[in-house]
Every structure is written in structure tokens, then in C-alpha cells.
Amino acid sequence: MSEPKLDCPFPKVFPSQFLRDDIFFMSLAYNQAIDAWRDDEVPVGAIIEHGGEVIASAHNQVDGSLDPTAHAEILAMTKAARAIGDWRLTGATLYVTKEPCPMCSGAALMGRFKRVVYAVGDPKMGCLGGATDLNALPRVNHHIEISGGVFEEECRELLQAYFRLKRLDKE
């Protein structure tokens, strides 16, 4: 028998379309994270922006798909590559609510992103400055501009509340 889903107490945000800055795009990633929670997934969301427009969005789907690679970033990268017709996502920015893991950090490097912007750093598994920094490897042939801490408080609260409620639910 599967565990009952946790209700998400966080409302989605509706940023102004007039200022399409890092906070705007991270707000959209935050909304994807809320969708993940509602699907009983770890609440991580990702948005890919290119030329000021969202070309892809996704949230974690690991548990529902039984696929360990179904992280928000990987799913969004696949959609973005299809949207522009090229695996090289040159000029694009990946917005994600938690610092990418080793798999997703490597994929971002391989995808040739211009930038990766994340909300919450991950000192245990983050690989763009948290636990380690794949972007700093001297022999990597492409480097990404990294920004952390954008919309951090909201994304941190969402992640912490999810895991706190999951632990309480198991008691």
C-alpha cells in the first residue's frame, strides 16, 4: 500500500511579466517545485530561459516514473533541446530551486549552458560549489556562470517543510 500524499501548504507565486529577471524565472521554477510536491515528489523545479523566454520547465519525477534520472534539471534540458533543435543549449540559463547534483551539474556542463542559477545550495550533493565544483575542473572545455541564493528563503522553506512533514507522516 502506498503512502498518502502530503498536501502542499504553499501557494504558487505569480510574478510580474514586466521584469524578467532572475527572481522572475526562479519564481517559475518555485511553482514547478510546488507541482513536484503535489505529485509527492521531492519539491525541486527547473526552468530554462533562452532569449528572455521560457523554453522548458519541469519538476522532479523520480518516484512516479521509477527513474533515478528524472530530476527536474534533466527533464527540462531534454525539453529545451527539443524546443531549439540542438543539444547545445548555448546562451540558455537553467534556473533550479536546489543546487544541481553530480548528474545534473555534469549535464549542465555538457549542455553548454551560459548560466546556472540556483536558489538553495546543497553542501552534501551539490556539484556547482556545494560539496564540490565540477565547473572549476581545469580540463573542462566549457565553463558556466554560476549564481546561487536567488529566491533562496522561499525555496529553502519549501524543501524543509516537505521533509519535516514526510518525517512526521512516518511517525
Side-chain angles (χ1 to χ4, degrees), residues 1-134:
M1 187 166 132
S2 65
E3 295 178 25
K5 289 185 179 182
L6 294 174
D7 288 328
C8 182
F10 293 84
K12 287 191 172 187
V13 295
F14 299 95
S16 169
Q17 296 282 330
F18 294 114
L19 183 60
R20 291 181 165 228
D21 58 2
D22 286 348
I23 292 172
F24 170 82
F25 291 109
M26 191 63 76
S27 297
L28 300 178
Y30 175 83
N31 287 343
Q32 285 292 314
I34 289 172
D35 287 342
W37 181 321
R38 292 175 178 168
D39 287 345
D40 204 25
E41 298 279 353
V42 173
V44 175
I47 295 289
I48 297 177
E49 170 272 329
H50 190 271
E53 299 296 325
V54 174
I55 61 169
S57 61
H59 61 77
N60 276 3
Q61 295 180 28
V62 173
D63 291 329
S65 66
L66 303 175
D67 179 355
T69 68
H71 289 200
E73 302 96 319
I74 299 294
L75 298 172
M77 285 182 223
T78 300
K79 290 178 182 179
R82 287 187 184 134
I84 66 168
D86 194 345
W87 64 267
R88 293 169 197 87
L89 298 167
T90 309
T93 299
L94 168 64
Y95 291 88
V96 61
T97 57
K98 188 182 78 57
E99 182 182 354
C101 71
M103 174 181 66
C104 296
S105 297
L109 284 164
M110 297 302 293
R112 311 289 198 270
F113 278 91
K114 176 183 176 186
R115 297 178 65 213
V116 173
V117 180
Y118 62 84
V120 180
D122 185 351
K124 292 181 182 177
M125 290 296 289
C127 285
L128 292 177
T132 193
D133 189 355
L134 296 181

